Amino acid sequence: MELALAKLIHYFQIVLQDPANQKCGGRKKTVSFSSMPSEKKISSASDCISFMQAGCELKKVRPNSRIYNRFFTLDTDLQALRWEPSKKDLEKAKLDIAAIKEIRLGKNTETFRNNGLAEQICEDSAFSILHGENYESLDLVANSADVANIWVSGLRYLVSRSKQPLDFMEGNQNTPRFMWLKTVFEAADVDGNGIMLEDTSVELIKQLNPTLKESKIRLKFKEIQKSKEKLTTRVTEEEFCEAFCELCTRPEVYFLLVQISKNKEYLDANDLMLFLEAEQGVTHITEDMCLDIIRRYELSEEGRQKGFLAIDGFTQYLLSPECNIFDPEQNKVAQDMTQPLSHYYINASHNTYLIEDQYRGPADINGYVRALKMGCRSIELDVNDGSDNEPILCNRNNTTTHLSFPSVIEVINKFAFVASEYPLILCLGNHCSLPQQKVMVQQMKKVFGSKLYTEAPLLSESYLPSPEKLKRMIIVKGKKLPSDTDVLEGEVTDEDEEAEMSRRMSVDYNGEQKQILLCRELSDLVSICKSVQYRDFELSMKSQNYWEICSFSETEASRIANEYPEDFVNYNKKFLSRIYPSAMRIDSSNLNPQDFWNCGCQIVAMNFQTPGPMMDLHTGWFLQNGGCGYVLRPSIMRDEVSYFSANTKGIVPGVSPLVLHIKIISGQNFPKPKGACAKGDVIDPYVCIEIHGIPADCSEQRTKTVQQNSDNPIFDETFEFQVNLPELAMIRFVVLDDDYIGDEFIGQYTIPFECLQPGYRHVPLRSFVGDIMEHVTLFVHIAITNRSGGGKPQKRSLSVRMGKKVRECTMLRNVGLKTIDDIFKIAAHPLREAVDMRENMQNAIVSVKELCGLPPIASLKQCLLTLSSRLITSDNTPSVSLVMKDSFPYLEPLGAIPDMQKKMLAAYDLVGNCYSLVSCLCGRKSYCRASFMKLQ
């Protein structure tokens, strides 16, 4: 059966590319009191069993929309589950452990789907116990996700060990983890007395887990010794192991390990392989690769030799870069770099030489170093006349500090291609006299040499060269004298943007721009980035040359984006646009770059010296594509025949919306907000999730508040977001303190949608200034589905939902040209058939997921894993065989099977029938596979 399962999963890995494996606003603040049922952490199966034996109140859900509060306990002999009060006889108000077939976490049974109050029940707090040959369900709701996890983990452990239920109690001290800790203790116990000083024990635990605070470790030892009424501060081996397990076991990771290990307390290579394939979306995984992971992360020598990963090694693996939320493929250049320059967003800085405010801020050479090291590909130089015929860069409102022009270009030359090999644009603000302009030219030619790009643009071309062609080139953006004259100097409009904005706002402004003299030598350095003034889109589309670039103030660009969003996008398909902050931002605050990226504007200049949400978006966006400073724009904003409006409020034509499912599970090692005034280190954290993109995608939601927990707050909340243009969307995780004085910000992380990795991931949080904070993370689960594969469970039963329904179809609209309309008319019927096939396939897949008891975000691989566990008979033999028909792996019963299994096989066969129909209609195997992938 395992071989058949492996073949089946391999088949779907090739043919069925499931989107789940691809890639705080309206909610009021609430306070969640400690969600754990006791002070003691859950760190083993015995902890779960002990809690269940003590019992707790659970809500019992019935199909008739009634919910009853009952007190549930586990018998001391571990043979039955009981509840009270009940109208039944005491011996009937119980469920034998031996009768349990399966335990499901979440609202994944017919009872939950049909219950009118199900919408009010938290998904993470619900679970179901399926029992008997007909898979009847006992549906329960705990008062928190933690309690639900304890019951699910404990029951699964008991069911998997029903033949020897007491073994775990007797052998708890012989687990791989305990044996490893014993070895660690003995190695540190140089005297061999079986005890050691508390200071030594504290240091030893800190070596094993550097994130723990010394005060917390000492407090734990005092608690343990006090419970044993000990007066000495020396630590025994047993106390050391107990303290380590309580301090270093993250309950949410333990529950996950038990779930994916089939209720063991460690993972073998096979468990890890299935986890990576079905949950983490890793392709082409092999057993050798899994054994290598175990060797690198398992802490015990025994585990490395025998090939298993215990809880501590698994925690280390989940915290490693391999399980980071950021796709490692995006750590290198991964996009097509041969498109025209105008097809990319370009990392750009405003007034790069300033490190403070715009009005009095001093000029500093470090502004260039910082920007270039961050992958900035467009920097600004405002050059003025200096003494001794030496040009300088300075803030004209603060001339006490200035930079010599030669020193600036020397630094630029040194750092220009450290972070990226792709072209660097120098936006030259020339305010120099003719003699000093000639000095600038001489110095740039001397320092930059052959890196200066001065080739004349070709009239035969229609678009700018590509970043690939311009690698390691420095491009000067500036004013240029007419090329059809031989004059050695001439007048051009001034590049002083702030002064120009001030003149325009003046009551005396008459529409004329200030003129300055430009020498031919400086003009000749400008090639494919000639600065011109924007008039209107109609004139630009007719007369503007592809090598000319317009600069827009933030105010002007905002007006144009609101009044002519479609024209702005079309304009930017061919020409470069540069947006600079409003002159009113004298404090160096930043504009929202997303507003202008939505219009296709390539160069949105940011004040790198000012941290905050806007700079977070900018930094996060340019993390992708290897941080090279160039990001390819969405195809709908590049294709000449495409239509896109920056103000789109709904679905984007030609783009399939996706549903992003984010579960915020927990946080780790949150620091106190830096600007907080309150004493002590206690915080009340909560998490905001922001979606940034086109207007239809912008959204914000937040978790509950976890009170007084900064070390490992458990949130366990799931959110859904529909994303209509994924290529332009970003996700920003923000952690805040709900009980703050002065400052609430704890940390944030911003990531492009296209860089998300599915599965269980850690999010490395950044400080307010953008630095990665060591050991400070969020633990999340990410899943991405199409609209039909995601969303809330259906309220109606399966038979009703699959009945008569109005289907949404893409319609063809006549354009009024008979020849074109006649050609496309023949596509109407195939289009209708394709929509029907898609609908049928999606219904079939939803049916399989529901009957498997899996949520909508589950993948078909996870369905196959669930199916395989239910198709094994009591004597461990398969009840079905694998048969290939019409290139699809069907499952055929080997004898009589229960009704529930018949339903599951029927739903699975329906998927096969839909696939066969697609094969028939497509006629070509390759096209069929492509179609099937689309349906998924």
Side-chain angles (χ1 to χ4, degrees):
M1 189 66 187
E2 288 184 2
L3 181 60
L5 174 63
K7 288 181 178 178
L8 213 54
I9 287 180
H10 180 67
Y11 175 84
F12 279 104
Q13 191 169 342
I14 296 173
V15 180
L16 311 178
Q17 296 292 328
D18 197 300
N21 287 334
Q22 297 168 9
K23 316 255 153 209
C24 343
R27 182 167 175 172
K28 294 181 180 178
K29 289 187 177 182
T30 58
V31 176
S32 166
F33 295 94
S34 179
S35 59
M36 289 303 295
S38 64
E39 290 299 318
K40 182 178 173 63
K41 272 190 177 181
I42 299 297
S43 60
S44 67
S46 60
D47 292 338
C48 295
I49 302 302
S50 299
F51 175 80
M52 292 161 62
Q53 287 176 324
C56 74
E57 188 175 86
L58 300 172
K59 291 180 172 62
K60 186 178 177 185
V61 182
R62 302 297 300 273
N64 59 6
S65 295
R66 293 186 179 181
I67 298 177
Y68 304 92
N69 289 325
R70 297 289 182 261
F71 193 85
F72 281 77
T73 56
L74 175 67
D75 279 354
T76 53
D77 61 4
L78 312 180
Q79 297 300 310
L81 194 64
R82 298 181 185 273
W83 58 91
E84 57 183 23
S86 174
K87 295 178 182 178
K88 298 179 181 178
D89 183 87
L90 286 179
E91 283 304 306
K92 291 184 178 180
K94 72 170 187 174
L95 178 61
D96 291 331
I97 299 297
I100 296 176
K101 299 291 185 183
E102 183 184 332
I103 300 96
R104 295 179 182 175
L105 186 59
K107 300 184 290 186
N108 294 308
T109 62
E110 283 294 308
T111 298
F112 277 121
R113 279 191 285 270
N114 295 330
N115 191 295
L117 300 176
E119 289 296 313
Q120 302 172 25
I121 297 171
C122 175
E123 177 80 23
D124 301 313
S125 299
F127 65 101
S128 301
I129 303 171
L130 277 67
H131 57 92
E133 290 301 317
N134 292 322
Y135 283 72
E136 298 173 57
S137 67
L138 173 61
D139 300 285
L140 304 169
V141 181
N143 63 5
S144 74
D146 292 316
V147 174
N149 276 320
I150 291 172
W151 280 95
V152 169
S153 299
L155 287 170
R156 284 175 174 169
Y157 192 93
L158 288 174
V159 170
S160 66
R161 286 156 174 75
S162 56
K163 295 179 181 178
Q164 42 186 0
L166 295 176
D167 285 355
F168 80 94
M169 297 295 286
E170 296 168 359
N172 191 41
Q173 300 217 337
N174 292 319
T175 62
R177 187 187 202 189
F178 185 86
M179 298 303 293
W180 165 65
L181 286 172
K182 183 178 178 182
T183 304
V184 171
F185 184 90
E186 290 173 350
D189 180 18
V190 291
D191 298 330
N193 297 326
I195 58 173
M196 64 173 65
L197 293 173
E198 182 180 295
D199 289 347
T200 308
S201 299
V202 170
E203 186 59 33
L204 187 54
I205 289 181
K206 276 193 69 65
Q207 288 176 14
L208 297 173
N209 190 339
T211 65
L212 288 174
K213 298 173 185 174
E214 181 179 327
S215 58
K216 189 172 181 180
I217 302 173
R218 293 189 183 278
L219 181 61
K220 178 55 66 178
F221 279 129
K222 284 182 172 57
E223 288 175 3
I224 293 171
Q225 290 165 353
K226 183 179 180 181
S227 68
K228 297 180 178 180
E229 299 181 350
K230 283 181 59 176
L231 299 177
T232 178
T233 57
R234 292 181 178 269
V235 177
T236 66
E237 180 183 281
E238 180 185 352
E239 291 166 348
F240 172 79
C241 294
E242 183 180 350
F244 180 87
C245 290
E246 290 223 12
L247 289 168
C248 300
T249 303
R250 286 171 48 187
E252 73 279 20
V253 175
Y254 172 75
F255 293 138
L256 176 61
L257 180 138
V258 171
Q259 174 188 335
I260 62 180
S261 67
K262 303 181 182 68
N263 311 306
K264 303 188 296 291
E265 294 197 345
Y266 62 86
L267 299 174
D268 57 30
N270 189 51
D271 295 328
L272 186 57
M273 189 186 309
L274 292 176
F275 171 68
L276 294 175
E277 279 191 339
E279 193 64 65
Q280 303 293 88
V282 181
T283 56
H284 310 301
I285 193 75
T286 65
E287 185 176 355
D288 287 341
M289 292 166 67
C290 293
L291 288 172
D292 179 63
I293 291 172
I294 291 171
R295 283 191 291 269
R296 285 187 287 119
Y297 292 102
E298 173 55 31
L299 301 180
S300 71
E301 183 63 31
E302 180 189 9
R304 291 193 292 270
Q305 290 179 357
K306 293 183 177 179
F308 63 75
L309 196 61
I311 179 66
D312 301 294
F314 185 52
T315 303
Q316 292 296 317
Y317 172 63
L318 289 176
L319 283 165
S320 74
E322 294 180 56
C323 290
N324 193 289
I325 192 172
F326 191 85
D327 185 354
E329 288 297 311
Q330 291 289 339
N331 285 325
K332 58 180 182 292
V333 175
Q335 297 174 355
D336 177 11
M337 302 302 289
T338 63
Q339 301 275 330
L341 209 61
S342 60
H343 287 183
Y344 298 85
Y345 295 114
I346 302 173
N347 191 342
S349 163
H350 174 247
N351 284 354
T352 316
Y353 54 90
L354 294 181
I355 58 169
E356 293 179 16
D357 66 73
Q358 302 291 304
Y359 190 64
R360 294 288 184 185
D364 194 309
I365 198 76
N366 289 314
Y368 290 99
V369 176
R370 175 185 55 198
L372 291 170
K373 282 186 174 181
M374 290 177 66
C376 185
R377 296 291 84 195
S378 174
I379 57 177
E380 298 184 10
L381 299 88
D382 281 328
V383 191
N384 297 272
D385 280 351
S387 58
D388 301 324
N389 201 34
E390 188 72 37
I392 61 170
L393 281 81
C394 68
N395 185 337
R396 275 159 290 159
N397 296 305
N398 180 6
T399 56
T400 55
T401 60
H402 61 263
L403 305 172
S404 71
F405 184 73
S407 66
V408 170
I409 60 174
E410 287 282 1
V411 166
I412 292 172
N413 187 57
K414 180 179 178 181
F415 292 97
F417 303 107
V418 169
S420 171
E421 287 190 307
Y422 292 98
L424 175 66
I425 301 172
L426 302 186
C427 297
L428 196 60
N430 168 34
H431 316 297
C432 291
S433 61
L434 290 175
Q436 296 207 18
Q437 288 179 30
K438 293 176 181 179
V439 173
M440 287 168 53
V441 173
Q442 293 170 359
Q443 292 171 341
M444 282 194 283
K445 285 183 175 180
K446 178 183 176 182
V447 174
F448 296 142
S450 60
K451 296 175 188 174
L452 275 174
Y453 186 84
T454 57
E455 291 182 23
L458 299 174
L459 295 175
S460 57
E461 297 289 336
S462 300
Y463 286 91
L464 290 165
S466 69
E468 185 66 32
K469 184 177 179 181
L470 296 169
K471 259 186 178 180
R472 302 191 69 83
M473 301 304 295
I474 294 177
I475 302 167
V476 177
K477 170 198 166 291
K479 293 292 181 177
K480 191 171 178 66
L481 295 174
S483 57
D484 55 355
T485 64
D486 296 328
V487 295
L488 297 179
E489 59 189 52
E491 284 193 338
V492 294
T493 54
D494 191 1
E495 281 283 346
D496 190 344
E497 292 162 350
E498 284 77 10
E500 179 62 26
M501 285 301 297
S502 300
R503 283 196 298 272
R504 289 191 181 194
M505 291 188 295
S506 169
V507 292
D508 300 326
Y509 179 66
N510 59 7
E512 293 183 3
Q513 286 187 291
K514 182 182 175 183
Q515 300 289 309
I516 62 169
L517 286 175
L518 177 67
C519 72
R520 172 62 65 181
E521 292 90 339
L522 184 56
S523 172
D524 288 345
L525 291 187
V526 177
S527 172
I528 56 172
C529 280
K530 175 187 174 183
S531 295
V532 296
Q533 187 178 5
Y534 166 78
R535 301 295 181 187
D536 59 60
F537 287 127
E538 184 178 359
L539 183 63
S540 296
M541 298 304 283
K542 286 180 181 178
S543 60
Q544 185 172 335
N545 297 307
Y546 71 83
W547 61 84
E548 295 175 335
I549 174 174
C550 290
S551 291
F552 302 84
S553 72
E554 172 190 353
T555 307
E556 184 182 21
S558 296
R559 178 187 62 79
I560 295 171
N562 287 325
E563 294 179 6
Y564 312 104
E566 300 92 345
D567 292 335
F568 214 172
V569 172
N570 286 331
Y571 172 84
N572 286 320
K573 290 177 182 178
K574 185 174 182 179
F575 307 109
L576 286 175
S577 290
R578 174 177 163 271
I579 314 298
Y580 57 90
S582 165
M584 304 302 292
R585 295 185 183 274
I586 58 174
D587 59 349
S588 293
S589 59
N590 274 308
L591 49 77
N592 185 345
Q594 190 78 54
D595 293 340
F596 305 104
W597 291 336
N598 289 347
C599 300
C601 299
Q602 300 89 348
I603 304 174
V604 182
M606 303 291 288
N607 290 309
F608 274 48
Q609 70 270 34
T610 307
M614 300 302 100
M615 197 62 202
D616 292 341
L617 294 179
H618 181 271
T619 304
W621 182 249
F622 286 104
L623 287 176
Q624 61 185 310
N625 203 27
C628 74
Y630 285 83
V631 173
L632 191 62
R633 294 187 303 160
S635 57
I636 198 169
M637 302 176 80
R638 307 190 314 262
D639 297 341
E640 286 191 29
V641 296
S642 63
Y643 168 85
F644 175 73
S645 169
N647 292 338
T648 298
K649 298 292 193 295
I651 295 174
V652 179
V655 179
S656 297
L658 295 175
V659 177
L660 173 63
H661 308 259
I662 301 178
K663 182 176 184 179
I664 306 293
I665 302 172
S666 63
Q668 290 74 48
N669 310 306
F670 290 163
K672 180 183 174 184
K674 283 201 170 180
C677 303
K679 295 179 180 179
D681 295 325
V682 177
I683 59 172
D684 297 343
Y686 67 97
V687 182
C688 276
I689 308 168
E690 303 169 0
I691 308 295
H692 297 265
I694 61 173
D697 292 341
C698 292
S699 180
E700 181 178 342
Q701 295 193 56
R702 57 154 290 176
T703 67
K704 65 177 182 288
T705 297
V706 177
Q707 194 177 51
Q708 298 185 5
N709 190 337
S710 61
D711 296 328
N712 189 217
I714 304 294
F715 299 100
D716 260 324
E717 288 192 70
T718 302
F719 306 93
E720 290 180 5
F721 303 91
Q722 178 167 308
V723 182
N724 295 283
L725 188 55
E727 288 179 275
L728 204 52
M730 277 192 292
I731 297 88
R732 183 169 182 259
F733 299 90
V734 191
V735 183
L736 302 169
D737 184 4
D738 209 359
D739 185 21
Y740 67 94
I741 300 175
D743 184 16
E744 61 177 341
F745 181 86
I746 295 171
Q748 69 83 31
Y749 185 76
T750 307
I751 180 172
F753 183 96
E754 297 283 290
C755 296
L756 288 172
Q757 287 209 94
Y760 291 92
R761 305 290 174 182
H762 276 91
V763 180
L765 295 180
R766 293 177 179 265
S767 67
F768 182 72
V769 296
D771 298 328
I772 290 287
M773 295 186 286
E774 191 176 18
H775 305 308
V776 182
T777 56
L778 274 178
F779 188 39
V780 302
H781 181 269
I782 301 291
I784 300 168
T785 67
N786 56 32
R787 283 191 301 166
S788 57
K792 299 177 181 177
Q794 300 287 340
K795 296 182 182 179
R796 294 181 292 171
S797 67
L798 189 64
S799 58
V800 174
R801 180 169 45 78
M802 293 186 67
K804 208 167 183 180
K805 178 182 175 183
V806 178
R807 291 178 173 172
E808 295 180 2
C809 298
T810 301
M811 304 299 294
L812 294 176
R813 185 179 63 186
N814 289 341
V815 297
L817 299 175
K818 187 175 185 304
T819 306
I820 295 176
D821 291 339
D822 288 345
I823 291 173
F824 282 94
K825 190 180 294 183
I826 60 176
H829 182 66
L831 181 61
R832 172 74 65 172
E833 283 188 329
V835 171
D836 289 343
M837 284 189 294
R838 177 187 176 125
E839 189 77 19
N840 291 336
M841 176 63 74
Q842 289 170 344
N843 282 335
I845 291 172
V846 168
S847 300
V848 173
K849 290 179 182 180
E850 288 185 354
L851 289 169
C852 287
L854 295 173
I857 64 171
S859 67
L860 284 177
K861 291 178 188 176
Q862 292 167 316
C863 292
L864 292 172
L865 290 172
T866 304
L867 272 173
S868 67
S869 65
R870 298 183 193 174
L871 297 175
I872 301 292
T873 61
S874 56
D875 58 354
N876 208 31
T877 59
S879 59
V880 297
S881 62
L882 184 65
V883 179
M884 296 296 293
K885 293 180 183 176
D886 299 326
S887 301
F888 189 86
Y890 284 86
L891 298 173
E892 292 192 350
L894 293 175
I897 58 175
D899 290 342
M900 176 57 74
Q901 291 187 9
K902 287 180 182 177
K903 286 182 181 179
M904 293 169 63
L905 289 182
Y908 177 77
D909 286 348
L910 185 57
V911 175
N913 295 337
C914 291
Y915 176 76
S916 298
L917 178 60
V918 174
S919 299
C920 251
L921 291 173
C922 290
R924 297 194 312 276
K925 187 175 181 181
S926 59
Y927 187 79
C928 166
R929 287 192 175 184
S931 301
F932 204 76
M933 287 165 61
K934 291 282 187 185
L935 295 174
Q936 279 299 293

